[in-house]
Amino acid sequence: MHQLIWTGPLKTGKKHFKNMINFRYQLILLLLLTFNQVFAQQKVGKLITGSMVNPIGIDAPAPLLSWQLESNEHGFQQTAYQILVASTEANLLQDIADVWDSRKVSSITSLDVPYKGKTLKSKQRYFWKVRIWDQQDKVSSYSSVSFWEMGLLHETDWVGKWISAPRILDWAKFASKREEENVDEVFSAAPMFRKAFSIKGNVKSARFYISGLGYNVSYLNGKKISDHILDPAFTRYDKTVLYTTFDVSGMLQSGENVLGVVLGNGWYNMFTRAVWGFDQAAWRNIPTLIAQLEVLYEDGSKSSISSDDSWKVSAGPITFNSVFQGEFYDARKEVPGWNMAAFKDTEWPYALAVSGPLGVKKPQLIPPIRETAELIPKSVTEVGKGKYVFDMGRNIAGYARLKIQAPAGTEISLIYGERLSKTGEVDQEHIAMYSMDKPFHTDKYTCKGEGLETWNPSFVYYGFQYVEVHGLSAKPKLNNLTGIVVHTDLETAGKFECSNELFNQIQSNTRNSYLNNFHGFPTDCPQREKNGWTGDAHLAAEMGLYNFKSQQAYQKWLMDIVDEQRPSGEIPGIVPTAGWGYFFGNGPAWDSAFMLIPWYLYQYNGDKEILEKLYPHLKRYVNFLSTKADAEHIISWGLGDWCPAKTQTPVELTSTAYYFVDVQILSKIATLLGKTDDAAQYAVRADVIKKAFNKRFYKGNGIYGNGSQTSMACAIYQGLADENLEVTVAALVEAVKEKDYHLDCGILGTKYLLHALSDHGHADVAYRIVNQRTFPSWGYWISQGATTLWERWDGSASRNHVMFGDVSAWFYKALGGISPAKDGAGYKKILLKPYFQSELKWVKASHDSPYGQIQSNWENKNGVIKYSIVIPHNTTAQVHLPNLKGKKIYESNKLILKGNKDLKIVERSDQELVLETSSGSYSFNIK
Ligand code: RAM
């Protein structure tokens, strides 16, 4: 703190005057400094470890450290940083970096700086903080303290054993009979495991590590340990098994304690027979768990309670559970107090130690699946004697919660679906057709008859809007059944809104379908299949990254693909898989998920680590793909432009284009990773494919392939039409006009079309396509009552698919104008290029980039455009504004003539004014 110093004696006269001046000077200096501190608050804000805040149970040997800068001034940029890491918070607060001191590093990087200190130890918590230097070499104060905690890094850290319920147990008396099949009931009931232990002394901290397969719900002293649902996420259990770490420090009590775990079948023990053969999975086995509770006492001593054959096990009220079929619960079979200390478990058999799944244990870092909303139904209708249909108001993924009072033994069935038949009943025809075992998506609850009973299933989720209820004696009230929304709890990362209500509805439907299709991995639909279709995933990935913090979730799923990759390099159409999808459904258009999603993670999140991790696998894939090409470098393999509105596009056109894209991405990644030979070799190959593509598919006059919208849009969007760009764009516009400004594409073409148009001067045409309300269009679905996106333009199949969802990315990119610049991965350099559509009165778009929030908002009042932007610190932006004749452009009410240090003019043409801005907020007026 600056101090005022009176340098002279208290005298009058000349000297005194001099002292006075000196004093005054200091006063002004002080005021200036205070002003600076009050108004120019420059500091390090949010700290992020591997894209998480204060994570526990991680396994990265060198966690990636990032931080955001905060200031209310323009152009605050970092020129150097210093990171301190300590083993205790006390050490760190005294700047004692006993684990790592990076020292001052001259660098503008504030994203993903790899830790380079001492070797990190299992279970250890590490505290870190950072300070930075700005352009004037002024150092900031240290950030607040953040931490990360390591999980169980070595197999030897696991003291616990895998345990299961012994098969000899007479489950049959607990399990209800399956109607059509005489399948062994052992497989379908949910075992409850119990372990009593005592705590002596004062607990300082406690961690619970568990992998309970298929799914687990864990309790400590009768309380649920977490709000995770359907935990852990699905992986190929013979390759990878995820475990979760919980801080349970506050849940222990002195004296007797009890751990309780209930296991569901999930995908680990999928006995339901369906097309994809998960019942035949190599990993399939009865539910199993491994767990350990590690306690640290105030006096420094430790104890651990781990799973072994001293645990007790019993059947309970969940008599049946299958992710495809449903869950049956007999409340009369509840065992009161089973997971609390007073309960006597002497009658319960011991658990059995088993070999467990083959997969390597890894921490679950993807956000958990959670209940995220509870919907009150819109209506309940009697559709037949004793049959009532609840309408949840929108199509969701999740389940229903029943609140009911009925005599003991009353059986209530809940039948889930997203469509109604003509007579108003739940229609499952289009979603149940691939499952051989019945019932499909049905819960059964048997009442215990003790007052109000509240129940929801634990080990299933459904895609539904309607629930048909059987077994009630009278018409229920609306609040007897609520709709619980359940999905991977991805944090929001972006918001788009505009004055066109239809667009806002499309945006909302798209976000809904995206979330409805994330349950530990991206799926095609939450009802019929619940499969990790690769094509659907990559088509929705960019919109996913604009709207949500999906980075961890994709990292996890990309490693799932690695687990599925065959030695040849080949990958299946669905991931995870029990073996289905290598002979149907794959091909370059779907497999490109493996190339595109890591590439998107690099572009949108600056994630270079994923590229490094995957590189050998990606190379193997691309080399495999080359074997699928004919002598002319054409690939005819794959599904093509799936679910088209009307016109089919030749498969070889879209497949060969993806072949080009994949090879080109590999070359770019090789360049980034310094693999110059690979980079050159694949660049040459990409060029060869490009020539071959044009030779085969270019028909002259801008027409590619069969002249379908997808054909031209593909050539433009995938960067294959450079030589005929202008005519091809014109031909595409013509093809759209021919359909009266409707799209005529399947899932591939729909993604290319809007960008191909708006990136080449025809955003107005793209706008008209999106603004349609007649078939085929998003607006058509909405006019039919859609609250999600559908699988087909005519609505004939699933009503909860996300593969047509890239339109939301178009909202952000074209109308909001936000995207990472080509040379600005992770938004280090931001491109702001909004299309000020004249019918729109306003647009508000924002995105939480790794550096902080980007905002891009505009309004059009009688032809005067007001454009306001916020650029996060430590980034720059390139802003494109229309430079129309007779219009003048102002920033903060000052006419932009020459530019200044925060606002450089980099290009001025008749159409455009391109500015380069530093960080901060700007407000432009185009009059
Ligand atoms: C359907 C899926 C998915 C699609 C595949 C090819 O069964 O639902 O959307 O990618 O087919």
Side-chain angles (χ1 to χ4, degrees), residues 500-753:
N500 183 331
E501 263 320 305
L502 174 65
F503 286 20
N504 295 338
Q505 191 59 47
I506 296 174
Q507 165 71 358
S508 150
N509 287 29
T510 309
R511 282 177 63 108
N512 285 345
S513 270
Y514 186 78
L515 292 175
N516 287 337
N517 278 300
F518 232 116
H519 294 84
F521 62 108
T523 61
D524 61 333
C525 52
Q527 2 68 8
R528 188 186 66 210
E529 303 193 25
K530 300 183 165 82
N531 272 322
W533 277 100
T534 53
D536 306 42
H538 78 74
L539 292 169
E542 282 187 277
M543 68 112 317
L545 292 169
Y546 270 113
N547 283 288
F548 299 99
K549 294 199 192 291
S550 306
Q551 188 183 358
Q552 293 286 348
Y554 285 127
Q555 285 171 345
K556 179 257 173 200
W557 187 64
L558 288 165
M559 296 320 286
D560 293 343
I561 303 185
V562 169
D563 280 352
E564 302 290 5
Q565 189 174 32
R566 286 186 166 166
S568 61
E570 184 184 7
I571 61 173
I574 59 169
V575 176
T577 180
W580 193 91
Y582 292 98
F583 45 87
F584 173 82
N586 54 356
W590 266 245
D591 304 350
S592 284
F594 200 29
M595 307 299 299
L596 285 168
I597 296 179
W599 188 241
Y600 297 148
L601 292 184
Y602 174 67
Q603 287 180 301
Y604 291 97
N605 301 84
D607 189 348
K608 207 167 154 187
E609 193 185 50
I610 193 77
L611 303 181
E612 274 156 16
K613 250 195 207 165
L614 294 180
Y615 189 76
H617 303 280
L618 303 184
K619 189 169 161 179
R620 196 140 49 91
Y621 175 71
V622 166
N623 290 343
F624 160 77
L625 195 52
S626 296
T627 68
K628 292 285 194 178
D630 66 14
E632 247 85 78
H633 311 285
I634 301 298
I635 294 187
S636 319
W637 169 52
L639 294 181
D641 195 21
W642 196 243
C643 299
K646 184 156 179 260
T647 310
Q648 299 277 351
T649 295
V651 170
E652 55 271 26
L653 186 142
T654 45
S655 283
T656 306
Y658 276 111
Y659 177 32
F660 165 75
V661 168
D662 292 350
V663 174
Q664 195 185 43
I665 288 176
L666 190 66
S667 166
K668 286 185 190 165
I669 297 176
T671 307
L672 274 168
L673 303 183
K675 300 177 191 299
T676 40
D677 288 353
D678 279 7
Q681 184 202 327
Y682 290 106
V684 170
R685 200 187 298 178
D687 218 50
V688 169
I689 303 167
K690 189 186 220 171
K691 290 207 176 81
F693 179 92
N694 279 285
K695 189 169 160 218
R696 172 71 68 95
F697 301 112
Y698 188 59
K699 311 288 178 199
N701 297 327
I703 301 294
Y704 275 87
N706 61 349
S708 66
Q709 292 180 10
T710 296
S711 299
M712 268 87 75
C714 174
I716 299 164
Y717 176 79
Q718 306 286 40
L720 286 154
D722 318 355
E723 281 172 26
N724 326 299
L725 194 58
E726 231 170 276
V727 275
T728 309
V729 171
L732 176 61
V733 171
E734 242 353 271
V736 174
K737 279 188 191 160
E738 258 171 44
K739 302 282 170 184
D740 194 22
Y741 292 93
H742 283 79
L743 56 82
D744 179 15
C745 302
I747 55 172
L748 307 182
T750 300
K751 166 138 193 174
Y752 318 144
L753 181 66

Side-chain angles (χ1 to χ4, degrees), residues 44-64:
V44 180
K46 194 169 169 190
L47 264 56
I48 300 151
T49 312
S51 77
M52 294 167 283
V53 176
N54 296 339
I56 64 169
I58 66 168
D59 66 343
L64 301 178

Side-chain angles (χ1 to χ4, degrees), residues 839-875:
E839 276 174 45
L840 283 178
K841 291 197 182 69
W842 55 269
V843 165
K844 278 186 194 160
S846 63
H847 175 69
D848 296 330
S849 82
Y851 296 92
Q853 191 172 69
I854 303 164
Q855 287 177 26
S856 175
N857 302 328
W858 57 269
E859 56 182 59
N860 189 340
K861 263 196 200 143
N862 311 322
V864 177
I865 293 167
K866 188 173 167 219
Y867 182 39
S868 317
I869 57 172
V870 178
I871 314 294
H873 296 295
N874 214 22
T875 70

Side-chain angles (χ1 to χ4, degrees), residues 871-890:
I871 314 294
H873 296 295
N874 214 22
T875 70
T876 56
Q878 199 175 80
V879 186
H880 291 242
L881 300 172
N883 192 23
L884 303 174
K885 260 212 180 106
K887 299 260 179 196
K888 285 186 177 139
I889 303 180
Y890 300 80

